[in-house]
Each structure stands twice: as structure tokens, then as C-alpha cells.
Amino acid sequence: MLDDFFIRALIAGIGIALVAGPLGCFVIWRRLSFFGDTLSHSALLGVTLALSFDINIALSVFFISSAVALVLLKLQKTTNLPGDALLGLLAHSSLAVGLVVISFLSFIRFDIMGLLFGDILAVAPNDIFIIWIGGVLILFVLKIIWKPLFASTVNYELAEAEGMNPARVNAIFTILMAAIIAISIKMVGLLLITGMLIIPAAMARNLSNNPVQMVVYSVIGGLLSVIVGLFTSLELNSPSGPSIITAALVLFILSLTKINKFTRLKN
């Protein structure tokens, strides 16, 4: 029999994988991996504010990450700096501010390793509620904006000419990214959130022939990563968050065999 904490971890992990799969595909398609890192770095500031004012961590992280994402969109329109420079500026600035705030929170005790790398085995029923309700809302909004978001990913100018308002859709997508980071921070931590978004989607890209297939494979890859990672963590007593990401990496490496076989057949 599995303990209650492990069952809760599985339920939480499955919820995250179902949401991270579709969003991760857009991260790959739009080349936004560094953007995910920026939001995850800003999440540290959200956590420190939550601890300072005794508010829900997921809610605080969501608002801070959303604010950083919207500031990025604003700076892209009002400055001549390239996108990677803006991402680096916001990522390291928000991380530095978060660390400064932490230095003043000596009266509060918290697990810094759990914050950085996650501790899915410590999720509570309230965390599961946030993950699943938040996940359903994220997928619902993503379904609504799917067509214009995909169109702007393929050709921004054409989507704009068709009246799809890609600027508004991009803003909504950045908020969805902030939301997935907020609900998954306790599972994989600040440093590994982007890996949960990117690695299953990258694996799916190696195996798929069309966008819908890629989304399906990405979700399956995320689910397998969570299940294999958690059971490996239980068996080897390894950290849960890194074990999940390591399992995703193994799946990605296995997916490369298809590319190698296809290349040999082509030659």
C-alpha cells in the first residue's frame, strides 16, 4: 500500500503534467524557453512576499510573475533592447530583489532546497485543489485562444491582418505561463519548472508529425515523467523534483532513437 503523501504527490504531478504539456509545446514553437526561466526566477520574489505578508504562495507567485511578464511586453514596445537582453535584465533583477528580501526574513524559517528544487511529497490537499482548479482554468483559456495563438506563432503579421489581435493573445499566453509556474512551484521548484515545460515537449517534437500529435505526446511524456520519477524517488530515496526531470530527460534521449532510425532509412 502506498502512503497518503505519495498518492497526493501522484495526483498533483498528474495535474501539472496535463497542463504543462500543451503550454510546453507553445514554448518550443515560439522559442520561449528563456522566457520561462525569467518567470521562474521572478517567482522567488513572489514567494518572499507571500512569506512576508502571510498570503498564499501560489497566488503571490502568480501576481508577481504576471507583472514581470506584462512589464516585459511593455519594454519590448518602448525600448530598442533585444528580447534576450530584456529577459536577462528582468530575470536577474527579480532574482536579486527576491534574495535581498529573503535576507530580511531571518524571523521566518523555510526550506530553501524545497523552494529551489521542489518537494512534491509535501503537497497538501489544499495544494492539489489549487493545481487542479488552476489547471482546468488554464486549459480552458488555452482552448479559447488556441486558434489565434497558433496562427500568431506561425505568422504574426498574417494573424494581425486576419484581425486575430495577436498582441492581446500573446499577453494572455504570458499570464497562462505565470499561472502554470505558480501552481507547479511546490512540485519541482524554482530551478526546474522550465524543465517540466520544455523537456516533455522536446521529446514529443522528436516523435510527432503534426501539432496535435505533439501536444498529445507531450502530455503522455509529462505523465510518464511524473510517475517514473516519483516511484524512482520512492525506491532510491532521491529528491522528487529532480527525479521527475531526470525521468523526462531519459524519455527525451529515448525519443532520439526515432530520429536516428529515420536518418539511417533516409540515407
Side-chain angles (χ1 to χ4, degrees):
M1 288 293 292
L2 297 175
D3 293 324
D4 290 343
F5 72 89
F6 192 81
I7 298 296
R8 289 196 298 269
L10 277 174
I11 295 173
I14 289 171
I16 293 297
L18 291 174
V19 183
L23 286 179
C25 290
F26 277 103
V27 171
I28 293 291
W29 293 332
R30 299 167 75 93
R31 300 179 181 180
L32 292 175
S33 58
F34 195 24
F35 174 70
D37 279 332
T38 299
L39 293 187
S40 64
H41 281 66
S42 68
L44 178 62
L45 179 57
V47 171
T48 56
L49 292 178
L51 294 174
S52 300
F53 298 101
D54 194 25
I55 58 179
N56 183 270
I57 290 179
L59 190 63
S60 177
V61 168
F62 171 69
F63 282 120
I64 294 298
S65 298
S66 296
V68 169
L70 294 176
V71 167
L72 173 64
L73 294 178
K74 181 67 175 178
L75 289 176
Q76 287 176 332
K77 296 179 180 179
T78 57
T79 69
N80 294 322
L81 290 172
D84 58 344
L86 291 174
L87 288 171
L89 184 152
L90 290 174
H92 299 298
S93 297
S94 57
L95 179 62
V97 173
L99 290 173
V100 169
V101 175
I102 282 180
S103 68
F104 293 104
L105 299 180
S106 57
F107 56 93
I108 298 178
R109 298 182 61 184
F110 59 93
D111 181 12
I112 187 64
M113 293 299 291
L115 176 62
L116 295 177
F117 300 105
D119 188 7
I120 191 174
L121 298 179
V123 296
N126 185 52
D127 297 317
I128 295 176
F129 176 80
I130 292 174
I131 288 171
W132 278 88
I133 296 299
V136 168
L137 290 175
I138 292 172
L139 292 178
F140 177 72
V141 174
L142 183 62
K143 183 178 184 299
I144 293 175
I145 68 170
W146 178 276
K147 184 177 179 180
L149 181 62
F150 187 77
S152 65
T153 301
V154 176
N155 191 316
Y156 187 94
E157 289 75 17
L158 182 59
E160 193 171 32
E162 292 289 333
M164 294 183 177
N165 201 343
R168 181 180 64 187
V169 171
N170 287 346
I172 295 173
F173 177 71
T174 60
I175 293 175
L176 293 183
M177 286 285 292
I180 182 64
I181 287 173
I183 66 176
S184 62
I185 186 173
K186 193 164 187 177
M187 187 182 89
V188 290
L190 297 173
L191 300 183
L192 302 177
I193 289 175
T194 309
M196 191 63 188
L197 285 167
I198 294 176
I199 300 177
M203 177 216 71
R205 187 166 189 173
N206 290 338
L207 301 176
S208 58
N209 298 315
N210 57 69
V212 174
Q213 199 175 68
M214 181 172 167
V215 170
V216 173
Y217 286 163
S218 181
V219 171
I220 293 173
L223 292 173
L224 288 175
S225 300
V226 168
I227 294 171
V228 173
L230 282 177
F231 276 98
T232 300
S233 174
L234 183 66
E235 186 68 24
L236 302 179
N237 195 29
S238 57
S240 53
S243 295
I244 292 172
I245 302 302
T246 301
L249 175 61
V250 171
L251 291 176
F252 171 77
I253 294 173
L254 292 175
S255 72
L256 294 176
T257 59
K258 179 184 177 181
I259 296 179
N260 293 333
K261 289 180 180 178
F262 178 77
T263 302
R264 287 197 298 267
L265 289 174
K266 188 176 180 180
N267 294 331

